[in-house]
Amino acid sequence: MAPSFVQNGGFPAPRTAPTSVTGRFASVYSDVQSSRVNHPLRLPSVLEKPFTIVDGPQSSAAGNPDEIAKLFPNLFGQPSVSLVPTDDSNAALPDQKLKIGVVLSGGQAPGGHNVISGIFDYLQDRAKGSTLYGFRGGPAGIMKGKYVELTADYIYPYRNQGGFDMICSGRDKIETPEQFKQAQETAQNLDLDGLVVIGGDDSNTNACLLAENFRSNNLKTRVIGCPKTIDGDLKSKEVPTSFGFDTACKIYAEMIGNVMVDARSTGKYYHFVRLMGRAASHITLECALQTHPNITIIGEEVAAKKLTLKNVTDYIVDVISKRAEDNYNYGVILIPEGLIDFIPEVQHLIAELNEILANDIVDEDGLWKKKLTDQSLELFDLLPQAIQEQLLLERDPHGNVQVAKIETEKMLIQMAETELEKRKQEGTYNGEFKGQSHFFGYEGRCGLPTNFDATYCYALGYGAGALLHSAKTGLISSVANLSAPVEEWVVGGTALTSLMDVERRHGKFKPVIKKAMVELEGAPFKKFASLRDEWALKNSYISPGPIQFTGPGSDAISHTLLLELEAQA
Amino acid sequence: MAPSFVQNGGFPAPRTAPTSVTGRFASVYSDVQSSRVNHPLRLPSVLEKPFTIVDGPQSSAAGNPDEIAKLFPNLFGQPSVSLVPTDDSNAALPDQKLKIGVVLSGGQAPGGHNVISGIFDYLQDRAKGSTLYGFRGGPAGIMKGKYVELTADYIYPYRNQGGFDMICSGRDKIETPEQFKQAQETAQNLDLDGLVVIGGDDSNTNACLLAENFRSNNLKTRVIGCPKTIDGDLKSKEVPTSFGFDTACKIYAEMIGNVMVDARSTGKYYHFVRLMGRAASHITLECALQTHPNITIIGEEVAAKKLTLKNVTDYIVDVISKRAEDNYNYGVILIPEGLIDFIPEVQHLIAELNEILANDIVDEDGLWKKKLTDQSLELFDLLPQAIQEQLLLERDPHGNVQVAKIETEKMLIQMAETELEKRKQEGTYNGEFKGQSHFFGYEGRCGLPTNFDATYCYALGYGAGALLHSAKTGLISSVANLSAPVEEWVVGGTALTSLMDVERRHGKFKPVIKKAMVELEGAPFKKFASLRDEWALKNSYISPGPIQFTGPGSDAISHTLLLELEAQA
C-alpha cells in the first residue's frame, strides 16, 4: 500500500462552519455530500503558525529565456518563494484588509471549491476584514465584471464538493488589448489587491500575462495561479501535481476494476476503455498502475516510436492471439482519449483530407482518393468504414475533420476484429473475439474530491492567500513534499515565467507553459513498462473499489506522484 | 434517509475464516477487496437458532393454473414455506451429511459469491461433513459434469467480492430430453442431495423444470432457486427483490450524480445516460429516485401509453425548450437500455425491415422503401441517418436487424437536435443544445456488493441450505421483511410453480416466470411521477457519492424496495 498522506486523528475543527448547511443545499445534498462538507481539512504545519516568505535564487525559463524576458520585462527572473516558520514578530505579514478576486478557468476538476475555501480561510485567519470576490463563469466574468462576494455562508456548503458550480467556469481567454483593458477596469473598480486564477497550463500562462500587464500599468493588483487539471499535464519539480488528477484516476480505476471482474467472470469480452486526457496520457498510465490491465496504449510512446495505427493494432492483436492460446478470450485494454493525435500518419491523413474537402467534391466513385498521398491512402483504406464516413462527413464549423469525435476505442475494436479474422483464415489465431467499448470521462471530472485532492487544494488556496498578502505576483501556488504527512508539506510559489517557453504562432512568439507529457524515462512509465508483459498474459487485475475518501487505500497518493517523488528523492 | 437494515455493532466473527487470504488473491487483491473479505456477515435471527420449516397453504400459479398443473404434475400446488424458531428438539432437522451442487446462471450480479458462502456456511453449521460442488461455467457445467469441490479455503477469498469468477457462469439452458438426461447423470454420479440454481427468471423456470424432472424420475436430488438479476425484474410479494439490483443502482447513481454536478458546473451539456436493463426499466426508475434527473423515460409507461418515438422526442424537447427559457441549457436525461423494445411502431418497422431485407435488395435509390407501410416509412424517415444505416447494414447471424446494437441515447440526441433546430427556425426555441452520451452497464454489474446485497445474498444462500436440508424442492429461496433490521428478516421458500404462467411458443405451452415490470400503479413509479415535473424544470439533482459500503447512506435499502414495502405495509 502506498504511504498515507494524512495522519490519523487530531483534526482541527472546521474553521468557518456556519451552524448548518443552508439554502438550496439543505434539501438536495446527499448524505455523503453533507458528511463531506464537515470533513475537517488539515493544513501543513507552516500554515498553522507564524511564517515568513523567503525568496529563492533568481529564476530563468523552461526554454528560450531571452524571448521570455522580452515578453515579461517586469516579471522575468523573479525568484520562486517558500513559506518558512518564523518566531520573529517583525517578519510577520502586515495587518491589512485585502480585496481579492478568484476565478475558475477551463474544465472542471475535483477540488476547485477547496482552493476557494483555502483562500477565504487564509483571509479570515490572517487578514481579518478582507473581501473575496468570485468571478462568475470564468475569465469572461473578469472582463464583464460579473462577480459575487463570497461569504462564509456562501462558501461553506461547497467545501469538499465536486464541480465548479460555486461560481462556475469558462474557457474564454483574456487576449486582446481591449480584453486586458477590461480586466484592468474590473480590477480597478473592485480595488483588487490580488487575483487568483485557478486553471490549467493555458490559464496559468494567461495569469502570468495578466500579472505582467497589471504591473506594467502600475495596478496594485497581483496575480497568483493555481495548478488545476484532471489530465495531470501541468506539473514541474516545484509543482508536483495538478489537482483533480487524483480523484479522477481513483474514480476511473474503480470502474476499470469492476469491468475487469466482469471480464474475468464472463470470459468472452475484450473491454476497450478510452480514458479522458487528450494532450497527455497520464490518466491512462496512472489507471494502468492502479489496475494492471492486459494492454495499455500510452500516446507519448506511440509518438516517440513513430508507431502507425497498424503497429498499434498489431500490438493489441498479438496480445489477444497469445492470450487465446492460454484460453483467455477476454481482457481489458486502456486507451488514452488523445491517441489519434499521437500518431503522425493520422495527422497527415487528416491534414490532406481537410485540404481535399475544402477544395474538391468527394465523389462516390472515390476518384477524390487519388489526391491522397500513397501513405495516407493506405491508412484510409485500412480504416473501418464507419470511421471513413465519419472523417468525410462530420465537420466542425471551420469545415475541418472532427478528430475529437472519433471514438478511438470503437475504431480499434473494428480494426482488431478485421485483423483477427485475417489471422483466423491464415490459421494463426484460434480464439473468439468480442469487443465492448467504454469511455470514462465526465463521471470522474466532477466527483467528490478525494481526501488528497481536498487537502491539497485547501493548502494551495491557503498558500495563494499568503502569497498575495505578501504582495507576490506572477507565481503559481505550489505545495510539495506530498508523500509526507500533511504537516510536513512544503508551501510556496513558483515563478510562472520559470515554467515558460515560447512557441511561434503566426510569425510571433507566444509564451506557453509546456504541457508535461508522460516521460518515457520517468519512474511511472518505467514501472509500467517493466510489468506490462506480465500483465498482458497473466491476469493480474486489481479492482481498487471506491477509495475516494473512506476505508483502506483512501489516503494513498497516486502511483504516478509517489513514483515521481521517490525517483526525485 | 431510508432506514438502515443493519444494526450497528455486535457482528459475529466470520464463520469460516482461514488464517489468511491465500493463493493468487493475496497478491492481486486491492486494499478494499481485502477489507471486504473480512466484512462480517450477519444472519437473520431465525437462522442463528434452532428452527423448523412450516408449510403455508396450497399454492396455485400466477396464471393458467391448469396448464401449469399439467406441466408440473409432481410440483404444482405445493406450499411455500417459512422458517420459524423452535425449542422442540424433535423438530430440528436430522443429522445428515449432504452432497449439494451449486450453479451460477446468466449475467453477473453482485452478491453471487455470498449466496455460495451462505450455502457453504449452512452446511458447516448444520450438516457437518457435507460436501458442496460448484458447477463451472453455468448450466453447461451440470450437463458436462464440470465441477469443483468448494472448500472453506476455496470460497473464503470470494466473500463479499463482485463478479461470478469463483465458478463462472454461462447462458446455456437445460432444455432437450438429452440435456435433462445429462443433468440426471451428473446428479446421480455425484450422488447429489440437492442443487441450488442461482439465476434470473429463465434460470429459475429451468430450475423448476429440473426439480420436476428429477422428482418424476425418482432422483433424490432436490432443486432450489435463488433470485439473481441486477435488472430487478424477478420479484413478487414473497421475493421482494433480486440480488445485485441494489449494488448496480448505487454504482450507476454515483456516476449519474457526478455527471449532474458536471452538467450544472459546465452549464452547456445535456447528458443522455442509457442504463442497463433491457426488459424492464427498474434500474432507470431507481436511479431517478436516487438522483432526480430532469428527464427520465420509463419503458413501461411508453408502452402503456402507446407512445411513438416522435412523442418521446417531443417530451424531451419540450422540457429542453422550457428549461432554455430559464437559461438552463443543460440537464441530465435517463433512458432505459430497452426503450426501443417498448415502442410498438419501432417493433413494426423492424419486423418489416427484417422481411424486406430477407427477400429484397436495398437499392440506393430507395425504391425498396415503397414496401414499408406508411407508418413505418414515416418513422424510418424520421430516424437519424446513422441509425438508418445501422438498421440496414448490421445483422445478426440470422440476418435480423440488431436492435440491441442501436445506441438509443445517441439516436435521441440526434432526434432532439433536429427537432430543436426546427423550433429555432420557427422561433419557439432560443437555447443552445449539446448532447453528451453515456452508457452505464458493465461497471455496475460486477462491482463489490453493497452491504445490503452482501447480507441479503448470504441469507438467501443460508436459507437455500436449510430448504435442501429439509428435503424441499421446486422452491425459490426467499428472504423478506427487508426494511427491518437483519435480525428480523423473514426466511423461507416460495413455490416456483406459484410464480409461473404459460406462454404459447411454436404451438406449445411453455412455462415462464413472468418478468416483473415497472408497475405504473406501484409506489415507486407513482412517487417518481409526482415529482418529475418539478425535477424537469428545477435542478433538484442529488449526487449520492460512493455508498456501496461505508459512510452515511451505505446501509440504506433501495428506494424501489422501500417504497414497495411501505405500500404493502
Side-chain angles (χ1 to χ4, degrees), chain B residues 73-98:
Chain B
N74 288 287
L75 293 180
F76 179 76
Q78 72 165 339
S80 298
V81 306
S82 315
L83 274 62
V84 294
T86 181
D87 292 331
D88 179 0
S89 60
N90 292 327
L93 294 168
D95 250 349
Q96 202 183 347
K97 289 182 187 173
L98 298 168

PDB file of all heavy atoms in Angstrom, chain B residues 73-98:
ATOM      1  N   PRO B  73     -46.730 -31.873 -12.906  1.00  0.00           N
ATOM      2  CA  PRO B  73     -47.656 -32.735 -12.157  1.00  0.00           C
ATOM      3  C   PRO B  73     -47.148 -33.079 -10.760  1.00  0.00           C
ATOM      4  O   PRO B  73     -47.939 -33.262  -9.843  1.00  0.00           O
ATOM      5  CB  PRO B  73     -47.758 -33.984 -13.044  1.00  0.00           C
ATOM      6  CG  PRO B  73     -46.565 -33.936 -13.944  1.00  0.00           C
ATOM      7  CD  PRO B  73     -46.267 -32.486 -14.153  1.00  0.00           C
ATOM      8  N   ASN B  74     -45.834 -33.138 -10.587  1.00  0.00           N
ATOM      9  CA  ASN B  74     -45.311 -33.510  -9.275  1.00  0.00           C
ATOM     10  C   ASN B  74     -45.178 -32.323  -8.321  1.00  0.00           C
ATOM     11  O   ASN B  74     -45.081 -32.511  -7.114  1.00  0.00           O
ATOM     12  CB  ASN B  74     -43.926 -34.138  -9.422  1.00  0.00           C
ATOM     13  CG  ASN B  74     -44.006 -35.520 -10.034  1.00  0.00           C
ATOM     14  OD1 ASN B  74     -44.433 -36.457  -9.375  1.00  0.00           O
ATOM     15  ND2 ASN B  74     -43.636 -35.629 -11.304  1.00  0.00           N
ATOM     16  N   LEU B  75     -45.113 -31.120  -8.883  1.00  0.00           N
ATOM     17  CA  LEU B  75     -44.816 -29.959  -8.030  1.00  0.00           C
ATOM     18  C   LEU B  75     -45.992 -29.019  -7.861  1.00  0.00           C
ATOM     19  O   LEU B  75     -46.093 -28.320  -6.848  1.00  0.00           O
ATOM     20  CB  LEU B  75     -43.641 -29.165  -8.623  1.00  0.00           C
ATOM     21  CG  LEU B  75     -42.284 -29.857  -8.627  1.00  0.00           C
ATOM     22  CD1 LEU B  75     -41.241 -28.936  -9.257  1.00  0.00           C
ATOM     23  CD2 LEU B  75     -41.860 -30.239  -7.207  1.00  0.00           C
ATOM     24  N   PHE B  76     -46.862 -28.960  -8.852  1.00  0.00           N
ATOM     25  CA  PHE B  76     -47.918 -27.950  -8.824  1.00  0.00           C
ATOM     26  C   PHE B  76     -48.726 -28.033  -7.527  1.00  0.00           C
ATOM     27  O   PHE B  76     -49.081 -29.118  -7.073  1.00  0.00           O
ATOM     28  CB  PHE B  76     -48.862 -28.103 -10.013  1.00  0.00           C
ATOM     29  CG  PHE B  76     -49.974 -27.079  -9.964  1.00  0.00           C
ATOM     30  CD1 PHE B  76     -49.722 -25.753 -10.312  1.00  0.00           C
ATOM     31  CD2 PHE B  76     -51.243 -27.426  -9.511  1.00  0.00           C
ATOM     32  CE1 PHE B  76     -50.730 -24.808 -10.235  1.00  0.00           C
ATOM     33  CE2 PHE B  76     -52.247 -26.476  -9.426  1.00  0.00           C
ATOM     34  CZ  PHE B  76     -51.993 -25.160  -9.788  1.00  0.00           C
ATOM     35  N   GLY B  77     -48.983 -26.873  -6.968  1.00  0.00           N
ATOM     36  CA  GLY B  77     -49.831 -26.808  -5.778  1.00  0.00           C
ATOM     37  C   GLY B  77     -49.076 -26.890  -4.476  1.00  0.00           C
ATOM     38  O   GLY B  77     -49.635 -26.620  -3.413  1.00  0.00           O
ATOM     39  N   GLN B  78     -47.804 -27.254  -4.533  1.00  0.00           N
ATOM     40  CA  GLN B  78     -47.089 -27.408  -3.259  1.00  0.00           C
ATOM     41  C   GLN B  78     -46.985 -26.057  -2.549  1.00  0.00           C
ATOM     42  O   GLN B  78     -46.922 -25.005  -3.176  1.00  0.00           O
ATOM     43  CB  GLN B  78     -45.707 -28.034  -3.463  1.00  0.00           C
ATOM     44  CG  GLN B  78     -44.671 -27.137  -4.111  1.00  0.00           C
ATOM     45  CD  GLN B  78     -43.254 -27.684  -3.955  1.00  0.00           C
ATOM     46  OE1 GLN B  78     -42.986 -28.484  -3.067  1.00  0.00           O
ATOM     47  NE2 GLN B  78     -42.361 -27.256  -4.827  1.00  0.00           N
ATOM     48  N   PRO B  79     -46.967 -26.099  -1.242  1.00  0.00           N
ATOM     49  CA  PRO B  79     -46.976 -24.846  -0.480  1.00  0.00           C
ATOM     50  C   PRO B  79     -45.623 -24.146  -0.484  1.00  0.00           C
ATOM     51  O   PRO B  79     -44.583 -24.788  -0.619  1.00  0.00           O
ATOM     52  CB  PRO B  79     -47.324 -25.297   0.939  1.00  0.00           C
ATOM     53  CG  PRO B  79     -46.865 -26.713   1.012  1.00  0.00           C
ATOM     54  CD  PRO B  79     -47.031 -27.288  -0.364  1.00  0.00           C
ATOM     55  N   SER B  80     -45.685 -22.849  -0.333  1.00  0.00           N
ATOM     56  CA  SER B  80     -44.487 -22.111   0.058  1.00  0.00           C
ATOM     57  C   SER B  80     -44.246 -22.390   1.531  1.00  0.00           C
ATOM     58  O   SER B  80     -45.151 -22.826   2.234  1.00  0.00           O
ATOM     59  CB  SER B  80     -44.688 -20.613  -0.191  1.00  0.00           C
ATOM     60  OG  SER B  80     -44.899 -20.403  -1.577  1.00  0.00           O
ATOM     61  N   VAL B  81     -43.021 -22.144   1.993  1.00  0.00           N
ATOM     62  CA  VAL B  81     -42.690 -22.499   3.382  1.00  0.00           C
ATOM     63  C   VAL B  81     -41.993 -21.344   4.088  1.00  0.00           C
ATOM     64  O   VAL B  81     -41.424 -20.452   3.447  1.00  0.00           O
ATOM     65  CB  VAL B  81     -41.766 -23.742   3.442  1.00  0.00           C
ATOM     66  CG1 VAL B  81     -42.367 -24.903   2.665  1.00  0.00           C
ATOM     67  CG2 VAL B  81     -40.359 -23.415   2.907  1.00  0.00           C
ATOM     68  N   SER B  82     -42.071 -21.358   5.427  1.00  0.00           N
ATOM     69  CA  SER B  82     -41.347 -20.371   6.236  1.00  0.00           C
ATOM     70  C   SER B  82     -40.488 -21.088   7.258  1.00  0.00           C
ATOM     71  O   SER B  82     -40.847 -22.156   7.750  1.00  0.00           O
ATOM     72  CB  SER B  82     -42.303 -19.491   7.033  1.00  0.00           C
ATOM     73  OG  SER B  82     -43.357 -19.077   6.237  1.00  0.00           O
ATOM     74  N   LEU B  83     -39.376 -20.471   7.590  1.00  0.00           N
ATOM     75  CA  LEU B  83     -38.553 -20.969   8.677  1.00  0.00           C
ATOM     76  C   LEU B  83     -38.997 -20.268   9.953  1.00  0.00           C
ATOM     77  O   LEU B  83     -39.084 -19.032   9.972  1.00  0.00           O
ATOM     78  CB  LEU B  83     -37.078 -20.673   8.421  1.00  0.00           C
ATOM     79  CG  LEU B  83     -36.323 -21.713   7.573  1.00  0.00           C
ATOM     80  CD1 LEU B  83     -36.898 -21.819   6.188  1.00  0.00           C
ATOM     81  CD2 LEU B  83     -34.835 -21.395   7.536  1.00  0.00           C
ATOM     82  N   VAL B  84     -39.289 -21.046  10.980  1.00  0.00           N
ATOM     83  CA  VAL B  84     -39.684 -20.436  12.258  1.00  0.00           C
ATOM     84  C   VAL B  84     -38.837 -21.033  13.384  1.00  0.00           C
ATOM     85  O   VAL B  84     -38.458 -22.205  13.327  1.00  0.00           O
ATOM     86  CB  VAL B  84     -41.184 -20.644  12.557  1.00  0.00           C
ATOM     87  CG1 VAL B  84     -42.053 -19.887  11.550  1.00  0.00           C
ATOM     88  CG2 VAL B  84     -41.541 -22.121  12.540  1.00  0.00           C
ATOM     89  N   PRO B  85     -38.552 -20.204  14.391  1.00  0.00           N
ATOM     90  CA  PRO B  85     -37.734 -20.691  15.509  1.00  0.00           C
ATOM     91  C   PRO B  85     -38.473 -21.784  16.262  1.00  0.00           C
ATOM     92  O   PRO B  85     -39.710 -21.787  16.295  1.00  0.00           O
ATOM     93  CB  PRO B  85     -37.577 -19.454  16.416  1.00  0.00           C
ATOM     94  CG  PRO B  85     -38.154 -18.305  15.681  1.00  0.00           C
ATOM     95  CD  PRO B  85     -39.020 -18.826  14.603  1.00  0.00           C
ATOM     96  N   THR B  86     -37.753 -22.710  16.833  1.00  0.00           N
ATOM     97  CA  THR B  86     -38.405 -23.772  17.610  1.00  0.00           C
ATOM     98  C   THR B  86     -37.543 -24.129  18.805  1.00  0.00           C
ATOM     99  O   THR B  86     -36.318 -24.018  18.764  1.00  0.00           O
ATOM    100  CB  THR B  86     -38.637 -25.024  16.742  1.00  0.00           C
ATOM    101  OG1 THR B  86     -39.282 -26.014  17.547  1.00  0.00           O
ATOM    102  CG2 THR B  86     -37.330 -25.605  16.225  1.00  0.00           C
ATOM    103  N   ASP B  87     -38.223 -24.530  19.895  1.00  0.00           N
ATOM    104  CA  ASP B  87     -37.490 -25.036  21.062  1.00  0.00           C
ATOM    105  C   ASP B  87     -37.580 -26.556  21.118  1.00  0.00           C
ATOM    106  O   ASP B  87     -36.950 -27.202  21.949  1.00  0.00           O
ATOM    107  CB  ASP B  87     -38.081 -24.454  22.359  1.00  0.00           C
ATOM    108  CG  ASP B  87     -37.808 -22.970  22.448  1.00  0.00           C
ATOM    109  OD1 ASP B  87     -36.774 -22.524  21.881  1.00  0.00           O
ATOM    110  OD2 ASP B  87     -38.620 -22.254  23.053  1.00  0.00           O
ATOM    111  N   ASP B  88     -38.375 -27.086  20.211  1.00  0.00           N
ATOM    112  CA  ASP B  88     -38.636 -28.522  20.204  1.00  0.00           C
ATOM    113  C   ASP B  88     -37.499 -29.243  19.496  1.00  0.00           C
ATOM    114  O   ASP B  88     -37.348 -29.141  18.276  1.00  0.00           O
ATOM    115  CB  ASP B  88     -39.975 -28.754  19.471  1.00  0.00           C
ATOM    116  CG  ASP B  88     -40.300 -30.239  19.403  1.00  0.00           C
ATOM    117  OD1 ASP B  88     -39.500 -31.052  19.917  1.00  0.00           O
ATOM    118  OD2 ASP B  88     -41.353 -30.565  18.823  1.00  0.00           O
ATOM    119  N   SER B  89     -36.680 -29.971  20.250  1.00  0.00           N
ATOM    120  CA  SER B  89     -35.518 -30.603  19.627  1.00  0.00           C
ATOM    121  C   SER B  89     -35.940 -31.692  18.645  1.00  0.00           C
ATOM    122  O   SER B  89     -35.197 -32.042  17.732  1.00  0.00           O
ATOM    123  CB  SER B  89     -34.586 -31.172  20.705  1.00  0.00           C
ATOM    124  OG  SER B  89     -35.293 -32.126  21.473  1.00  0.00           O
ATOM    125  N   ASN B  90     -37.164 -32.215  18.795  1.00  0.00           N
ATOM    126  CA  ASN B  90     -37.650 -33.204  17.826  1.00  0.00           C
ATOM    127  C   ASN B  90     -37.913 -32.587  16.453  1.00  0.00           C
ATOM    128  O   ASN B  90     -37.902 -33.269  15.433  1.00  0.00           O
ATOM    129  CB  ASN B  90     -38.956 -33.851  18.321  1.00  0.00           C
ATOM    130  CG  ASN B  90     -38.699 -34.705  19.541  1.00  0.00           C
ATOM    131  OD1 ASN B  90     -37.624 -35.299  19.665  1.00  0.00           O
ATOM    132  ND2 ASN B  90     -39.653 -34.731  20.446  1.00  0.00           N
ATOM    133  N   ALA B  91     -38.181 -31.263  16.487  1.00  0.00           N
ATOM    134  CA  ALA B  91     -38.496 -30.589  15.221  1.00  0.00           C
ATOM    135  C   ALA B  91     -37.252 -30.247  14.419  1.00  0.00           C
ATOM    136  O   ALA B  91     -37.336 -29.878  13.250  1.00  0.00           O
ATOM    137  CB  ALA B  91     -39.305 -29.325  15.500  1.00  0.00           C
ATOM    138  N   ALA B  92     -36.095 -30.353  15.069  1.00  0.00           N
ATOM    139  CA  ALA B  92     -34.858 -29.966  14.382  1.00  0.00           C
ATOM    140  C   ALA B  92     -34.590 -30.894  13.196  1.00  0.00           C
ATOM    141  O   ALA B  92     -35.041 -32.037  13.151  1.00  0.00           O
ATOM    142  CB  ALA B  92     -33.685 -30.003  15.354  1.00  0.00           C
ATOM    143  N   LEU B  93     -33.849 -30.379  12.249  1.00  0.00           N
ATOM    144  CA  LEU B  93     -33.541 -31.180  11.056  1.00  0.00           C
ATOM    145  C   LEU B  93     -32.566 -32.291  11.415  1.00  0.00           C
ATOM    146  O   LEU B  93     -31.780 -32.159  12.352  1.00  0.00           O
ATOM    147  CB  LEU B  93     -32.966 -30.262   9.975  1.00  0.00           C
ATOM    148  CG  LEU B  93     -33.990 -29.238   9.447  1.00  0.00           C
ATOM    149  CD1 LEU B  93     -33.304 -28.183   8.606  1.00  0.00           C
ATOM    150  CD2 LEU B  93     -35.063 -29.957   8.633  1.00  0.00           C
ATOM    151  N   PRO B  94     -32.621 -33.378  10.683  1.00  0.00           N
ATOM    152  CA  PRO B  94     -31.814 -34.550  11.041  1.00  0.00           C
ATOM    153  C   PRO B  94     -30.317 -34.298  10.888  1.00  0.00           C
ATOM    154  O   PRO B  94     -29.901 -33.490  10.065  1.00  0.00           O
ATOM    155  CB  PRO B  94     -32.269 -35.608  10.028  1.00  0.00           C
ATOM    156  CG  PRO B  94     -32.786 -34.829   8.864  1.00  0.00           C
ATOM    157  CD  PRO B  94     -33.391 -33.584   9.443  1.00  0.00           C
ATOM    158  N   ASP B  95     -29.524 -34.979  11.692  1.00  0.00           N
ATOM    159  CA  ASP B  95     -28.075 -35.005  11.481  1.00  0.00           C
ATOM    160  C   ASP B  95     -27.817 -35.751  10.184  1.00  0.00           C
ATOM    161  O   ASP B  95     -28.185 -36.922  10.047  1.00  0.00           O
ATOM    162  CB  ASP B  95     -27.406 -35.782  12.634  1.00  0.00           C
ATOM    163  CG  ASP B  95     -26.633 -34.838  13.521  1.00  0.00           C
ATOM    164  OD1 ASP B  95     -26.448 -33.659  13.124  1.00  0.00           O
ATOM    165  OD2 ASP B  95     -26.235 -35.278  14.613  1.00  0.00           O
ATOM    166  N   GLN B  96     -27.197 -35.116   9.244  1.00  0.00           N
ATOM    167  CA  GLN B  96     -27.111 -35.722   7.915  1.00  0.00           C
ATOM    168  C   GLN B  96     -25.941 -35.098   7.170  1.00  0.00           C
ATOM    169  O   GLN B  96     -25.696 -33.897   7.284  1.00  0.00           O
ATOM    170  CB  GLN B  96     -28.420 -35.394   7.173  1.00  0.00           C
ATOM    171  CG  GLN B  96     -28.755 -36.316   6.041  1.00  0.00           C
ATOM    172  CD  GLN B  96     -30.028 -35.843   5.339  1.00  0.00           C
ATOM    173  OE1 GLN B  96     -30.754 -34.985   5.843  1.00  0.00           O
ATOM    174  NE2 GLN B  96     -30.288 -36.401   4.182  1.00  0.00           N
ATOM    175  N   LYS B  97     -25.198 -35.917   6.428  1.00  0.00           N
ATOM    176  CA  LYS B  97     -24.176 -35.352   5.552  1.00  0.00           C
ATOM    177  C   LYS B  97     -24.792 -35.208   4.166  1.00  0.00           C
ATOM    178  O   LYS B  97     -25.231 -36.202   3.583  1.00  0.00           O
ATOM    179  CB  LYS B  97     -22.964 -36.269   5.482  1.00  0.00           C
ATOM    180  CG  LYS B  97     -22.164 -36.273   6.770  1.00  0.00           C
ATOM    181  CD  LYS B  97     -20.946 -37.157   6.650  1.00  0.00           C
ATOM    182  CE  LYS B  97     -20.268 -37.273   8.008  1.00  0.00           C
ATOM    183  NZ  LYS B  97     -19.173 -38.241   8.010  1.00  0.00           N
ATOM    184  N   LEU B  98     -24.790 -33.973   3.653  1.00  0.00           N
ATOM    185  CA  LEU B  98     -25.430 -33.724   2.361  1.00  0.00           C
ATOM    186  C   LEU B  98     -24.384 -33.538   1.268  1.00  0.00           C
ATOM    187  O   LEU B  98     -23.276 -33.079   1.520  1.00  0.00           O
ATOM    188  CB  LEU B  98     -26.297 -32.470   2.445  1.00  0.00           C
ATOM    189  CG  LEU B  98     -27.464 -32.518   3.440  1.00  0.00           C
ATOM    190  CD1 LEU B  98     -28.055 -31.127   3.639  1.00  0.00           C
ATOM    191  CD2 LEU B  98     -28.538 -33.489   2.945  1.00  0.00           C
TER     192      LEU B  98
END
